[in-house]
Amino acid sequence: MALVSTDLHESAPEEATLTSQQFQAYNKLVGILYACLHDSRGFQPFFDAFQSHFKALQGGILGVSDNPQRLVYGWTFGYPEGFEQWYINSDLPERDEALTRFRHLPPRQFDSFLRGDESQTILDMLNPESRAWAEAVGMGDSAGMLVTRQADTNVVFMANRHKDFGPYSELEILQMNLLAPHIENAITLHFKLYQSSSDNESLAMALDHVNKPMIVFNALATIAQANQAARTLIDNSQSLHIGSNQRLTSSDDRLSRQLADAITTNLVNANQGRADTHTLFVENRDERIAICLTPLQSERAEHNGLLAELFNYRIDMTPDLGKLQSLFLCTPAEAAIAAELVHGLGAAEIADKNGISVHTARQHIKNLLSKNGYRKQTELVAMLVKTLS
């Protein structure tokens, strides 16, 4: 998420050496890194120490797909609230030159863009969109490495730096490269914790006792468990399938991207302590599938994940307006708008379909939110779907 571009310079010369004090600091970072495997906060303690030691502005561990280049999952630090969610759902990951460059490095080899050259500025290396972001945060340099390649995902560690601290020096890159194999080991071990938690037999048994189709994703965006009802629904769907990589996807590229972005957004929300629900609508001939995604938060970071509830109903289903009025404390006009929300329509589409102004449609939605104690339209839509499907 550095949003920077240029050719990388060659690796740091071997002549650079660490002082005793610097070596002690390096050892401390290694200790904090491995301690994260037993810390309920996940990698946050290491991010804090790395950020302080290298005067980093922001960064994290990011899982990035190849084609298209999209953020699949990630643990980040230093970004303003809401940035990750906006970034995931924008087109920027596909054009983020830092992600592109770092994921094409040899594994376990840090490099930076300026490499200590104070005569250059990172702004000269950016496209217009990237330059706007870099100027806004005061970015001065970006360093990163490819941690490992896993099937369809490249795992990248990256750290941006504020211009006030100058570019990363040759000596700092040397220290990062000493850390590199330890970062790879720690992340590999951490992934095993996620993967082992996905083999939880009690979770599988619990889901299979639920008749409603449900899927649990782990923090790597892969399916930890899907109950039989969910697998049957997906098998009968023309739009959804579970790939060999255990990801929920679609033969429709647009829908596949929407699914991936929604899953990643909700996993980021889980890691950041947010519980916002997101609903996607999948149309399949005369049927519609609503997918309600809810972040799952645990005392331990490796147990965070995502719950997907799937609801299958006919496109021509007419919601019971009387039931809507009773359950959602609304007027007949508001109930009619709620019925349209169940079909996945937005305010503009509702206004056009019902011959009312967009302002009126939005006001009805606002009333439904306030009367039922919801902050966001996505929360209201999820509850409408769950109640009426």
Side-chain angles (χ1 to χ4, degrees):
M1 276 184 269
L3 310 182
V4 295
S5 65
T6 187
D7 293 329
L8 297 173
H9 298 277
E10 295 180 358
S11 302
E14 294 297 325
E15 301 85 40
T17 57
L18 301 183
T19 65
S20 175
Q21 184 178 9
Q22 290 166 336
F23 194 74
Q24 288 178 3
Y26 154 77
N27 281 335
K28 183 177 180 180
L29 282 170
V30 171
I32 293 171
L33 174 62
Y34 284 115
C36 289
L37 296 174
H38 310 288
D39 195 301
S40 63
R41 295 169 293 169
F43 285 108
Q44 192 57 52
F46 177 68
F47 288 157
D48 293 341
F50 187 97
Q51 190 172 16
S52 174
H53 182 77
F54 290 105
K55 299 180 177 64
L57 174 67
Q58 58 210 186
I61 299 165
L62 312 172
V64 184
S65 62
D66 272 324
N67 187 23
Q69 180 171 283
R70 306 291 298 171
L71 192 63
V72 180
Y73 56 82
W75 299 268
T76 61
F77 64 88
Y79 291 97
E81 183 176 349
F83 173 82
E84 291 93 339
Q85 292 83 347
W86 167 79
Y87 179 84
I88 291 163
N89 292 282
S90 72
D91 294 328
L92 290 176
E94 296 175 43
R95 301 193 297 276
D96 190 327
E97 301 91 337
L99 289 182
T100 301
R101 298 292 182 174
F102 292 147
R103 74 180 180 84
H104 283 100
L105 283 172
R108 301 173 299 284
Q109 178 180 309
F110 269 98
D111 216 329
S112 70
F113 282 87
L114 296 186
R115 203 52 181 287
D117 187 351
E118 297 185 5
S119 67
Q120 296 190 64
T121 171
I122 204 168
L123 297 181
D124 293 338
M125 307 168 186
L126 306 177
N127 62 48
E129 291 175 306
S130 302
R131 187 181 303 116
W133 164 252
E135 286 182 319
V137 300
M139 189 188 302
D141 198 4
S142 181
M145 78 163 188
L146 173 69
V147 179
T148 184
R149 291 188 176 94
Q150 299 181 329
D152 61 337
T153 306
N154 305 280
V155 183
V156 173
F157 183 99
M158 62 187 303
N160 303 330
R161 194 177 206 178
H162 196 276
K163 62 183 180 182
D164 289 351
F165 297 108
Y168 287 110
S169 69
E170 178 183 301
L171 191 58
E172 287 172 320
I173 297 300
L174 171 62
Q175 293 177 67
M176 290 182 192
N177 278 322
L178 289 173
L179 281 172
H182 297 292
I183 292 174
E184 180 197 26
N185 289 340
I187 291 175
T188 300
L189 290 170
H190 210 63
F191 284 175
K192 287 182 178 179
L193 291 175
Y194 284 102
Q195 290 160 352
S196 65
S197 68
S198 73
D199 294 330
N200 189 322
E201 293 182 4
S202 62
L203 174 61
M205 292 175 62
L207 287 185
D208 278 328
H209 278 86
V210 178
N211 292 327
K212 291 183 178 180
M214 302 178 76
I215 301 173
V216 172
F217 295 86
N218 63 23
L220 304 183
T222 59
I223 294 173
Q225 298 294 342
N227 67 4
Q228 189 56 51
R231 292 185 180 276
T232 299
L233 187 155
I234 291 170
D235 287 344
N236 292 327
S237 166
Q238 299 297 313
S239 303
L240 299 175
H241 62 265
I242 298 174
S244 58
N245 56 4
Q246 288 302 296
R247 298 192 192 281
L248 182 63
T249 185
S250 170
S251 53
D252 182 324
D253 290 342
R254 180 173 172 272
L255 175 58
S256 226
R257 171 171 169 169
Q258 288 178 330
L259 278 168
D261 289 353
I263 289 168
T264 305
T265 298
N266 280 272
L267 289 173
V268 168
N269 285 342
N271 291 334
Q272 296 180 346
R274 297 189 182 95
D276 297 340
T277 298
H278 189 100
T279 303
L280 284 177
F281 292 90
V282 178
E283 289 192 11
N284 174 20
R285 295 182 180 175
D286 62 342
E287 291 185 314
R288 177 178 280 114
I289 301 172
I291 307 174
C292 295
L293 303 170
T294 304
L296 297 176
Q297 298 164 27
S298 173
E299 292 182 356
R300 294 193 60 84
E302 67 267 19
H303 296 147
N304 287 346
L306 175 66
L307 173 67
E309 301 171 83
L310 285 68
F311 302 88
N312 190 17
Y313 53 95
R314 294 186 60 83
I315 287 179
D316 59 3
M317 178 197 75
T318 302
D320 185 331
L321 297 185
K323 184 178 180 181
L324 281 172
Q325 285 182 249
S326 174
L327 292 176
F328 291 90
L329 308 173
C330 59
T331 66
E334 291 163 354
I337 298 301
E340 302 290 10
L341 292 174
V342 174
H343 288 296
L345 300 184
E349 295 169 305
I350 292 172
D352 184 62
K353 180 179 177 180
N354 291 274
I356 60 176
S357 70
V358 174
H359 172 76
T360 299
R362 288 175 177 162
Q363 186 58 52
H364 285 319
I365 294 171
K366 184 177 179 180
N367 292 342
L368 286 163
L369 291 170
S370 62
K371 288 180 178 180
N372 293 278
Y374 296 115
R375 297 179 298 110
K376 297 182 179 180
Q377 185 173 326
T378 53
E379 296 172 331
L380 172 64
V381 171
M383 187 52 64
L384 285 166
V385 168
K386 293 176 183 180
T387 302
L388 298 179
S389 299

